Amino acid sequence: MTITPQDVPDILSPAFAADPYPVYRRLRDETPLLWHAPTRSYLLSRYEDVRRAFKDPAFTSENYAWQLEPVHGRTFVQMSGREHTVRRALVAPVFRGTALQERLLPLIERNARELIDGFRDTGRVELVSQFAGRFPINVIVDMLGLDKGDYDTFQRWYRSIVAFLGNLSQDPEVTAAGLRTREECAAYLLPVIRRRRDALGDDLLSSLCTAEVDGTTMSDEEIRALCSLLLSAGAETTDKAVAAVLLNLLRHPEQLAAVVEDRELIPRAFIETLRYTPPVQMIMRQVAGDVEVSGGLIPDGSTVICLIGSAGRDERQYADPDAFNIFRADLTARTAFSAAADHLAFALGRHFCVGALLAKAEIEVAIGQLLDAMPDLRIEPDFTPVDQGTFTRGPVSLPLRFTPVRERIRT
């Protein structure tokens, strides 16, 4: 049986949007399984329950048929069994190993450098609009071999898709905009994909056109759907993580100083940010059969909202969970970007994020190059950073000051 605490702010309320973490604590302690009538979903808030939802086959991705497919089309993330295994195998190789190091890493480094060159001599930057919000989209467009002159179009599509996916209140205008984006994206991408099949290049789109596993290849529509998925899933985590990692470090100067001194600590700062202030706060699943969890029974066929932001602050799993600490002993760096991770920001098991290593590379490059350009960075005086978002969350704005490179060279 689930109990609804009347005085706990709803996850769609302004109070929750302002600061979800006290609400998460109440949910974990009082109602770890909560029926949420506005979204017709059950909320899971404890680490062990969310972890189970990502690993137990009883928690399926059937919900993606109505959550993702209308805006993206059908992709491997909503598939299961051999179909999922084969379709994922078509995609995964381009985001890891030699392909990542030799093809994608130079591209990531170039895109970060080009953006930073635009402000490294100015002494100030609004990090979200001038870097974090642009960097991952530029990388994805470059990876696919698309025209970066259409950046504004891709940015608009990205924002529209993310708004559609996070539309928990079912705003009809947000829904309509997302559906229009799918049509616009298809009209743009399908002709490009057909041309690319006839003239292959050294880019991700060409790799997808030629990928084959056990005689299975990807159709034009499957490639288009995957490109649409990359625009949202591939950009949203990195977009918000760049600003969140830097903000968390700025709020803990001794940890920032350690990262400035030793760049090998950047992955640890990223991992701790994924636990402490994860860019993706929640992921949905759908149960096949009745499932018993902390706090009660989830009926067969129900939608479940797995509160990643809450699981990362669960004192049953982490010591002093409300403290940001890149040196904490209860997060394992060695497995943090694999399906065996002990944080939950990339999900786990068979549906672990296929782009986790790409995200790691992007964060390492972005934070490393930003610290090279502004090792004495500081938040603009009298500015108080504010996080925003329910489904995904991150700093709205982050104005920074630093000593311009040319002045550091003179001194």
Side-chain angles (χ1 to χ4, degrees), residues 98-116:
T98 302
L100 176 60
Q101 291 297 318
E102 295 184 358
R103 177 186 296 177
L104 299 185
L105 191 57
L107 178 153
I108 293 168
E109 292 170 341
R110 182 178 69 251
N111 277 280
R113 185 169 57 251
E114 288 174 352
L115 288 171
I116 292 171

Side-chain angles (χ1 to χ4, degrees), residues 391-403:
F391 189 78
T392 60
R393 187 174 182 83
V396 178
S397 178
L398 190 57
L400 303 174
R401 287 190 182 182
F402 57 95
T403 303

Side-chain angles (χ1 to χ4, degrees), residues 64-115:
Y64 287 159
W66 54 264
Q67 187 188 9
L68 300 185
E69 189 169 341
V71 72
H72 288 313
R74 194 164 186 265
T75 67
F76 71 92
V77 298
Q78 69 190 81
M79 300 174 185
S80 58
R82 186 176 184 278
E83 183 182 30
H84 172 267
T85 300
V86 171
R87 289 301 192 280
R88 183 182 173 101
L90 287 167
V91 175
V94 300
F95 295 116
R96 65 189 184 203
T98 302
L100 176 60
Q101 291 297 318
E102 295 184 358
R103 177 186 296 177
L104 299 185
L105 191 57
L107 178 153
I108 293 168
E109 292 170 341
R110 182 178 69 251
N111 277 280
R113 185 169 57 251
E114 288 174 352
L115 288 171

Side-chain angles (χ1 to χ4, degrees), residues 34-353:
L34 174 66
W35 169 249
H36 186 249
T39 59
R40 300 184 298 279
S41 305
Y42 285 88
L43 307 183
L44 286 182
S45 51
R46 289 184 180 173
Y47 177 93
E48 279 302 326
D49 290 329
V50 175
R51 182 178 185 276
R52 179 185 172 193
F54 291 155
K55 292 181 70 69
D56 188 337
F59 292 83
T60 76
S61 57
E62 292 296 321
N63 54 290
Y64 287 159
W66 54 264
Q67 187 188 9
L68 300 185
E69 189 169 341
V71 72
H72 288 313
R74 194 164 186 265
T75 67
F76 71 92
V77 298
Q78 69 190 81
M79 300 174 185
S80 58
R82 186 176 184 278
E83 183 182 30
H84 172 267
T85 300
V86 171
R87 289 301 192 280
R88 183 182 173 101
L90 287 167
V91 175
V94 300
F95 295 116
R96 65 189 184 203
T98 302
L100 176 60
Q101 291 297 318
E102 295 184 358
R103 177 186 296 177
L104 299 185
L105 191 57
L107 178 153
I108 293 168
E109 292 170 341
R110 182 178 69 251
N111 277 280
R113 185 169 57 251
E114 288 174 352
L115 288 171
I116 292 171
D117 282 347
F119 58 78
R120 69 169 63 244
D121 287 324
T122 66
R124 59 179 57 193
V125 60
E126 197 296 285
L127 194 80
V128 174
S129 62
Q130 291 182 255
F131 185 85
R134 299 171 60 90
F135 171 59
I137 291 292
N138 284 7
V139 168
I140 290 168
V141 170
D142 211 355
M143 282 169 49
L144 292 168
L146 301 176
D147 186 354
K148 291 180 70 173
D150 293 328
Y151 164 79
D152 288 341
T153 298
F154 291 111
Q155 184 76 12
R156 177 171 57 81
W157 288 344
Y158 158 56
R159 297 298 179 193
S160 175
I161 292 170
V162 169
F164 180 96
L165 299 180
N167 188 21
L168 297 178
S169 62
Q170 296 300 299
D171 183 322
E173 293 185 6
V174 173
T175 299
L179 297 178
R180 285 196 303 272
T181 293
R182 173 173 174 166
E183 296 175 0
E184 293 175 13
C185 191
Y188 179 101
L189 284 173
L190 286 172
V192 175
I193 293 167
R194 288 192 286 269
R195 291 195 298 270
R196 199 63 52 87
R197 287 192 187 278
D198 293 332
L200 296 172
D202 185 26
D203 53 66
L204 174 58
L205 203 54
S206 296
S207 296
L208 296 174
C209 287
T210 58
E212 181 177 343
V213 173
D214 295 337
T216 299
T217 58
M218 298 180 72
S219 68
D220 290 356
E221 174 56 26
E222 286 177 310
I223 294 173
R224 184 214 60 77
L226 180 61
C227 292
S228 176
L229 181 65
L230 283 173
L231 279 177
S232 56
E236 185 69 356
T237 299
T238 308
D239 176 343
K240 290 180 166 53
V242 170
V245 169
L246 275 182
L247 178 55
N248 286 332
L249 290 172
L250 284 162
R251 285 172 166 163
H252 300 82
E254 73 291 348
Q255 297 184 53
L256 174 59
V259 173
V260 170
E261 181 68 24
D262 181 5
R263 303 303 170 80
E264 295 297 319
L265 292 174
I266 293 175
R268 293 205 65 91
F270 183 26
I271 299 162
E272 177 65 345
T273 294
L274 292 175
R275 180 201 69 81
Y276 182 70
T277 51
V280 179
Q281 291 274 310
M282 52 190 72
I283 291 178
M284 291 183 177
R285 290 289 186 261
Q286 184 173 315
V287 295
D290 295 344
V291 178
E292 189 81 30
V293 296
S294 299
L297 184 75
I298 304 174
D300 178 28
S302 298
T303 300
V304 179
I305 298 180
C306 304
L307 297 174
I308 295 172
S310 175
R313 298 288 189 102
D314 193 340
E315 64 278 4
R316 298 159 190 82
Q317 175 67 21
Y318 300 109
D320 197 10
D322 292 325
F324 180 82
N325 179 12
I326 66 174
F327 302 107
R328 65 170 51 250
D330 46 17
L331 273 179
T332 309
R334 180 176 52 83
T335 59
F337 299 95
S338 74
D342 46 18
H343 68 84
L344 304 178
F346 290 130
L348 292 172
R350 65 197 183 284
H351 286 289
F352 183 79
C353 176

